[in-house]
Amino acid sequence: MSFSFETTFQLNKAFYHECFEQSANKTTGVKAYTKALVLLILGFATSAIGQLGHLSMFIIVLSIVEAMSVYWQQTWWVWRQLIAKESNSEVSLTIDDEGIKTNTPYHQLTLTWSIIHQITLTEKGCIFHYDKGRYYLSFSHLNDEAVNFVKAHIN
């Protein structure tokens, strides 16, 4: 018996927020700010030398920007997606016995079941891991039969 499911959805702000929340590798605490702290220490060290004033100020400001990018990581990522040309595009999604296919006016992706080496189940969807990266699939666009079909492929 073969299976085929087709649907469409928008690449909108809500989708991007869900995608980030469910699939981002987020480090927390002091560890997330390690790079910013190292840059800040380096900036103060170069200012102590005395003759590298502009360089030390640049490094200190860079550490502040780095800390801000960690603090507002999700906002920054979602904003970058919203200014991309694919933003607000309609995605055609097909799930069948061969794999998962997405199609937008700007990008096509075909993930066959054979190239997916891991599927991670999340609260609202799943992440497909393959050699060239990861792909997040939200279950909010799928019916129960399609969700069960995808879950059946989890190793």
Side-chain angles (χ1 to χ4, degrees):
M1 183 170 106
S2 67
F3 177 81
S4 184
F5 173 79
E6 293 183 25
T7 189
T8 59
F9 62 92
Q10 290 287 124
L11 292 176
N12 57 18
K13 188 175 183 178
F15 174 79
Y16 290 132
H17 274 288
E18 179 183 334
C19 185
F20 184 88
E21 289 168 358
Q22 299 297 309
S23 66
N25 295 325
K26 298 173 264 191
T27 52
T28 57
V30 176
K31 188 175 183 178
Y33 293 94
T34 302
K35 192 188 307 181
L37 290 171
V38 168
L39 285 170
L40 186 64
I41 292 167
L42 182 64
F44 283 124
T46 56
S47 72
I49 293 172
Q51 295 192 358
L52 303 172
H54 293 305
L55 178 63
S56 63
M57 287 308 296
F58 175 77
I59 294 171
I60 290 169
V61 169
L62 189 61
S63 73
I64 294 168
V65 170
E66 176 63 26
M68 290 170 57
S69 76
V70 171
Y71 186 78
W72 287 296
Q73 183 179 17
Q74 181 173 353
T75 304
W76 175 245
W77 186 85
V78 170
W79 179 77
R80 284 192 334 247
Q81 303 311 309
L82 288 173
I83 63 170
K85 66 182 175 183
E86 268 194 311
S87 178
N88 293 314
S89 295
E90 187 169 274
V91 179
S92 298
L93 171 69
T94 304
I95 301 172
D96 58 23
D97 294 326
E98 294 177 24
I100 299 166
K101 299 173 199 78
T102 59
N103 190 9
T104 70
Y106 307 102
H107 185 258
Q108 290 181 335
L109 177 67
T110 301
L111 295 176
T112 59
W113 295 115
S114 62
I115 68 167
I116 298 170
H117 51 80
Q118 181 184 353
I119 301 173
T120 306
L121 198 58
T122 68
E123 219 175 277
K124 298 179 180 180
C126 61
I127 304 167
F128 297 99
H129 302 264
Y130 60 104
D131 289 338
K132 294 183 180 179
R134 302 178 323 147
Y135 178 78
Y136 175 72
L137 177 66
S138 174
F139 288 158
S140 64
H141 311 295
L142 310 181
N143 62 21
D144 291 339
E145 188 179 4
V147 169
N148 292 332
F149 180 77
V150 170
K151 285 182 178 179
H153 284 85
I154 296 175
N155 310 6

